[in-house]
Amino acid sequence: MTTKVLVPNLGDIDEVEVIEICVQTGDVVAAGDTLIVIESDKASMDVPAEWEGSVVAIEVSLGDRVGEGSLIAIVENSGRSAEPANAEDLSVSDVAQTSDPSARFQEAVSEVVTVVQNSVLDVLVPDIGDASGVVVIEVAIQAGQEVSENDLLVVLESDKASMEISAETGGEILEVCVDLDDEVEQGSLIAKIVTSDLVQAGLSEPCIEPGPGATTGTQSVSTSESSLPAVKDIAEKSPGFPQADLKTPRTQVYAGPATRRLARELGVDLTNVAGTGQRNRILKDDVKAFVKARLLEEQDLLGGLPAVPVVDFARFGPVHEQPLSRIRQRGATNLHASWVNLPHVTQHDEVDISDLEVFRKSLKSQAEARGIRLTPLAFIVKACCKVLHERPEFNSSLHVNGDSLIVKDYINIGMAVDTPEGLVVPVIRDADKKDVWALSAEIADLAEKARIKKLGLDDLAGGTFTISSLGALGGTGFTPIVNAPEVAILGVARLATKPLWVEDRFEPRQVLPLSLSYDHRVVNGADGGRFMVRLTELLGDLRHLAL
């Protein structure tokens, strides 16, 4: 005899989604075996076979939306339903007095529901006297965590003191009802704990909230308690309740609606996730752990960096923490991203700028008349602009697809400025169109704005090439990190007097160390060398700037 398996009573829910199909045509099923799993916005539910038999046809597909009475499958049944082996073993005495398996199931569920309700402990904020403005400053627990008596749950703080709230009994955290910085008062609900007697009975698993009229077979079991375990789990774990000969296909997954929703959002196939909940049920933490493991594997394949050891420096002496400014934090992030993503190469050179210094000092009176301080940096910017015109690949960015360059037809020079809050890089726009006087004035103006925190967002955007000049602090050279997505940066160290061989004798000359770092994906060593040769030529003899 063939039997049509229909979607059971869904209460006030119009439609549910088919999220799992546990059998296929030709499978032999026992009474109680799960055929499909359906899910509403609030709960998931297994739809089992009522009779032993063979699956003739599956009438639904994954993702189908079905309503009450929709045809699920056709089963050729053998006439045997799920009967208890020993009715006297049932935990509810009057259950054995009826031959209706669905009624026995409902009676057993009712008893277990009562046990669950009586074993959930509400943790409340105790008497806090006349304290007001009490906030949660620490939450030491999470849902699903096992706690023992006197374990710390949360820490509260008023304007005068702090208070630790501990567990009065052992068990499993069913729900955490407060978050950091929540304001609470006496009697506020902090958490719900499934007490140890219930945990030992195997019923402590966080519930899958049943929708109205959630059913098994054709009998409806309705409850409004969102903290109850899944009906199917209750039946299987109840002492003395008849156990169906369930078979579990490899593709069957036990997970609640929230877990399934998270898996869908993250693109995780739950059949690949190992569950750590009761009966190997997959929890949200299992999904997160799975994703984290895959990300770490991918990072290793891509050459991920090993973690730096965490050291307790206080073991060796007194320490104190000093928070980084937002500028330093942002700068650290950007520099790290540039360093790990760009293959850096740095070339070093020195340029004799003795003649440039003589010329610059000869302009001192004119600079004072203009109210300008004429520094070597203005000449360096001017020389860099000329080289960038001649070698536009240094004034470009690599396209995100890695197949082409985005060459800018404008030249905006970024200049690194040291401030008490950290390093900032204001931008001189259209630097190639400005003379040395205009460049000197703008350099001074941007540096002052940076130090007094008056830079606007436009002052910090649009750079195409950066110069980092350490002036008198710079030593003999350094390796600057490219300010991505730019492809090159020039480091200028400290000007020094050195003996250089000129024609037939040594002479004291003003020598400036230069360091050019670049993205080796865009610029090769020969190009870097040509850039430096041309730059030193321009700075060594300013007459070349006029050519």
Side-chain angles (χ1 to χ4, degrees), residues 252-254 259 263 268-276 280-291 294:
Q252 191 160 0
V253 172
Y254 289 101
T259 301
V268 174
D269 182 354
L270 286 178
T271 60
N272 296 324
V273 181
T276 60
N280 298 321
R281 184 175 293 277
I282 299 173
L283 310 177
K284 291 172 73 173
D285 285 344
D286 298 327
V287 177
K288 294 174 183 177
F290 177 84
V291 172
R294 292 298 177 271

Side-chain angles (χ1 to χ4, degrees), residues 54-303:
S54 176
V55 178
V56 175
I58 299 294
E59 303 294 338
V60 292
S61 302
L62 281 178
D64 282 358
R65 305 287 299 183
V66 295
E68 181 179 334
S70 297
L71 179 61
I72 295 172
I74 299 175
V75 176
E76 182 75 32
N77 61 64
S78 63
R80 286 184 291 181
S81 61
E83 293 288 342
N86 295 293
E88 63 272 13
D89 291 337
L90 295 180
S91 58
V92 184
S93 59
D94 60 345
V95 171
Q97 298 173 8
T98 174
S99 60
D100 184 350
S102 298
R104 288 197 300 276
F105 178 82
Q106 187 171 2
E107 291 289 347
V109 168
S110 298
E111 179 175 293
V112 177
V113 165
T114 303
V115 173
V116 174
Q117 290 172 329
N118 292 337
S119 300
V120 175
L121 175 67
D122 289 343
V123 181
L124 307 178
V125 174
D127 181 14
I128 53 178
D130 59 354
S132 60
V134 179
V135 296
V136 180
I137 63 170
E138 181 181 346
V139 179
I141 53 173
Q142 57 184 352
Q145 178 180 335
E146 295 282 346
V147 295
S148 301
E149 185 177 356
N150 297 322
D151 278 0
L152 176 65
L153 303 179
V154 300
V155 180
L156 310 179
E157 184 179 70
S158 68
D159 56 350
K160 297 180 180 179
S162 61
M163 174 191 301
E164 294 185 350
I165 306 296
S166 302
E168 296 180 8
T169 183
E172 179 177 321
I173 302 298
L174 183 65
E175 181 181 0
V176 180
C177 303
V178 293
D179 292 318
L180 282 177
D181 300 325
D182 279 0
E183 187 166 332
V184 296
E185 58 186 14
Q186 181 177 335
S188 295
L189 181 61
I190 294 174
K192 294 185 178 183
I193 298 179
V194 180
T195 54
S196 295
D197 56 337
L198 185 58
V199 173
Q200 292 169 2
L203 293 172
S204 63
E205 182 182 347
C207 72
I208 297 177
E209 181 181 352
T215 66
T216 178
T218 60
Q219 295 295 316
S220 172
V221 181
S222 178
T223 176
S224 61
E225 290 295 323
S226 63
S227 59
L228 304 182
V231 170
K232 186 174 184 293
D233 292 358
I234 294 175
E236 292 179 356
K237 298 171 186 173
S238 301
F241 193 83
Q243 301 297 308
D245 183 18
L246 296 178
K247 72 173 185 177
T248 305
R250 292 178 61 188
T251 57
Q252 191 160 0
V253 172
Y254 289 101
T259 301
R260 294 179 184 276
R261 189 174 299 111
L262 176 64
R264 288 197 297 270
E265 291 173 355
L266 298 178
V268 174
D269 182 354
L270 286 178
T271 60
N272 296 324
V273 181
T276 60
Q278 295 289 336
R279 294 179 60 252
N280 298 321
R281 184 175 293 277
I282 299 173
L283 310 177
K284 291 172 73 173
D285 285 344
D286 298 327
V287 177
K288 294 174 183 177
F290 177 84
V291 172
K292 182 177 180 181
R294 292 298 177 271
L295 289 174
L296 290 175
E297 289 176 7
E298 183 176 339
Q299 186 179 38
D300 290 339
L301 291 174
L302 296 174

